Amino acid sequence: MVESRCGILCSECEYKEKMNCKGCVNIDKPFWGDSCRVKVCCESKNKEHCGLCNDFPCTLLKEFAYDENQGDNGKRIEQCKKWCTL
């Protein structure tokens, strides 16, 4: 089951319960700000998640995945690949 646009596993996120987050596939606005650039991009292309995009993995997704403070060292990119095989 796809949990996010970028490949983050919401079920593993420490903020899911704290912030009552339903995951970006189920909300219009993220709890952390006005919008998420990855979510906006993915939805503007009518993609369920980034792994289904012709540009995957794009520069924007890589910036998020490998961000020094909030990245996951590419785990979300690998998750998108897994979702593509389902």
Side-chain angles (χ1 to χ4, degrees), residues 4 7-9 12 14-15 25 27 36 42-44 48-51 53 55 59 64 69 86:
S4 67
I8 287 177
L9 291 175
E12 296 179 3
E14 65 182 278
Y15 296 104
V25 296
I27 59 173
C36 171
C42 193
E43 291 176 356
S44 73
E48 185 178 19
H49 61 82
C50 292
C53 182
D55 297 325
T59 302
F64 274 71
N69 297 315
L86 297 178

Side-chain angles (χ1 to χ4, degrees), residues 29-62:
K29 181 180 170 185
F31 67 85
W32 63 89
D34 289 330
S35 69
C36 171
R37 294 185 303 149
V38 174
K39 175 180 169 59
V40 169
C41 178
C42 193
E43 291 176 356
S44 73
K45 295 177 179 182
N46 295 314
K47 302 296 182 190
E48 185 178 19
H49 61 82
C50 292
L52 300 173
C53 182
N54 292 335
D55 297 325
F56 175 80
C58 69
T59 302
L60 177 60
L61 183 59
K62 288 177 186 176

Side-chain angles (χ1 to χ4, degrees), residues 1-12 48-52 56-57 61 65-66 72-86:
M1 179 181 141
V2 173
E3 297 183 39
S4 67
R5 302 293 182 212
C6 71
I8 287 177
L9 291 175
C10 299
S11 57
E12 296 179 3
E48 185 178 19
H49 61 82
C50 292
L52 300 173
F56 175 80
L61 183 59
Y66 295 102
D72 57 11
N73 203 31
K75 181 179 176 184
R76 70 189 75 194
I77 292 172
E78 293 306 313
Q79 185 61 50
C80 283
K81 289 178 186 176
K82 288 178 187 176
W83 286 337
C84 286
T85 63
L86 297 178

